[in-house]
Amino acid sequence: MTTRIDARFAELKQQGRSAFVTFVMAGDPDAKTSLDILKALPKAGADVIEIGMPFTDPMADGPSIQAAGLRALKGGMTLRKTLAMVRDFRKDDNATPIVLMGYYNPIYIYGVDSFLADAKEAGVDGLIIVDLPPEEDTELCIPAMKAGLNFIRLATPTTDDKRLPAVLANTSGFVYYVSITGITGAATADSNAVSEAVARIKRHTRLPVCVGFGIRTPDTARAIAENANGAVVGTAIVDVVRGSLDAEGRATPKTVPAVADLVSTLAQGVRGAKQAAE
């Protein structure tokens, strides 16, 4: 099985550069604007797109992404509508990998088999479900793999060498390394510590390792990309969305261009990295 994720990382390896991975919240600030943002991301330099599935109790998310999820839920975004948004995106883009990121509860309510079938049909390539540990792989991970979707696991600064094999056992697509201990947007990534962590993870797997949490500037993105196969930015993008809204929290003509401008700047940072990690 070769997914769009596998193909994209193979392509980037040939180019000798790391991936720029962007995170946006589905339905933030509204369904139409969210789709417009999604369509603008590849043109601005995103190599892989993570889409947040709005959830009422997002325990790993910092205030910015929590607020984005609440804006989306207030606007009526659902998991079914999130899949419809991916389907609309695929009408014009059949190459950019799409990863849905979030929590298990909405998928459980939707029904695992129905969700996986609908996600695959919509054009989803992978899943990051932050509250399902390896011990629960039969719940979603293994069925997802059988459905042809990558299941991407998180590794953290507290994931030691004893724990890593379990984390990596059924992981595919790439490994997502969380660069800080804590929630999204809480601190800035330390490129030296990240370099050591990425090297350690790579001793256990041949999968690409992407680093997220704590990357907000082109310089930080560049530093991370020099040591990892990808740099993930979420909070900074979500903050730009919020900053572009009017007093009532509605999208303005500035919303999509503001996101595209930031993504373009960050992409230049990633692409300016001296050498992507092997």
Side-chain angles (χ1 to χ4, degrees):
M1 178 188 76
T2 300
T3 65
R4 292 183 187 90
I5 296 171
D6 301 324
R8 180 53 52 93
F9 277 101
E11 172 191 330
L12 294 175
K13 186 174 183 180
Q14 283 189 330
Q15 295 175 16
R17 71 173 181 87
S18 295
F20 177 40
V21 185
T22 56
F23 171 93
V24 292
M25 182 64 70
D28 177 34
D30 60 73
K32 181 186 181 302
T33 306
S34 185
L35 179 59
D36 289 342
I37 289 171
L38 200 61
K39 290 179 176 180
L41 292 174
K43 299 183 186 74
D47 297 303
V48 179
I49 300 171
E50 293 176 6
I51 301 176
M53 298 178 284
F55 180 50
T56 50
D57 300 285
M59 59 190 176
D61 297 333
S64 293
I65 293 178
Q66 284 188 33
L70 291 175
R71 284 194 299 268
L73 291 170
K74 184 179 178 182
M77 182 53 61
T78 64
L79 186 49
R80 200 169 294 277
K81 289 179 181 178
T82 300
L83 294 179
M85 191 171 79
V86 175
R87 198 174 294 113
D88 285 341
F89 174 83
R90 284 283 175 235
K91 292 175 183 176
D92 301 313
D93 187 325
N94 198 41
T96 304
I98 295 286
V99 177
L100 296 185
M101 185 172 189
Y103 300 84
Y104 183 49
N105 184 273
I107 295 171
Y108 178 78
I109 298 300
Y110 193 111
V112 168
D113 292 342
S114 296
F115 168 76
L116 291 174
D118 290 352
K120 182 69 176 175
E121 182 272 330
V124 173
D125 303 294
L127 302 173
I128 300 173
I129 308 301
V130 300
D131 57 348
L132 276 184
E135 288 75 16
E136 306 296 336
D137 273 358
T138 54
E139 287 282 334
L140 182 63
C141 174
I142 292 171
M145 292 167 63
K146 288 179 179 176
L149 297 171
N150 288 129
F151 199 88
I152 297 148
R153 191 82 69 188
L154 301 178
T156 72
T158 59
T159 308
D160 59 21
D161 286 326
K162 185 177 179 182
R163 178 64 173 168
L164 260 178
V167 169
L168 297 170
N170 291 314
T171 299
S172 62
F174 62 91
V175 180
Y176 189 132
Y177 179 67
V178 176
S179 67
I180 60 174
T181 303
I183 55 176
T184 58
T188 299
D190 180 335
S191 59
N192 291 326
V194 166
S195 176
E196 293 175 9
V198 169
R200 183 170 64 84
I201 294 169
K202 282 181 170 292
R203 290 196 287 271
H204 293 263
T205 183
R206 297 175 64 87
L207 290 171
V209 179
C210 295
V211 176
F213 287 46
I215 304 172
R216 302 185 65 92
T217 68
D219 287 345
T220 307
R222 182 183 298 109
I224 294 299
E226 287 176 357
N227 297 299
N229 301 107
V232 187
V233 178
T235 298
I237 296 171
V238 167
D239 282 345
V240 164
V241 172
R242 183 192 62 196
S244 74
L245 305 180
D246 68 16
E248 280 74 45
R250 294 175 301 207
T252 68
K254 297 187 294 184
T255 300
V256 177
V259 172
D261 286 349
L262 174 65
V263 168
S264 178
T265 303
L266 290 164
Q268 289 172 26
V270 172
R271 291 173 187 187
K274 293 175 185 174
Q275 184 179 359
E278 289 298 322

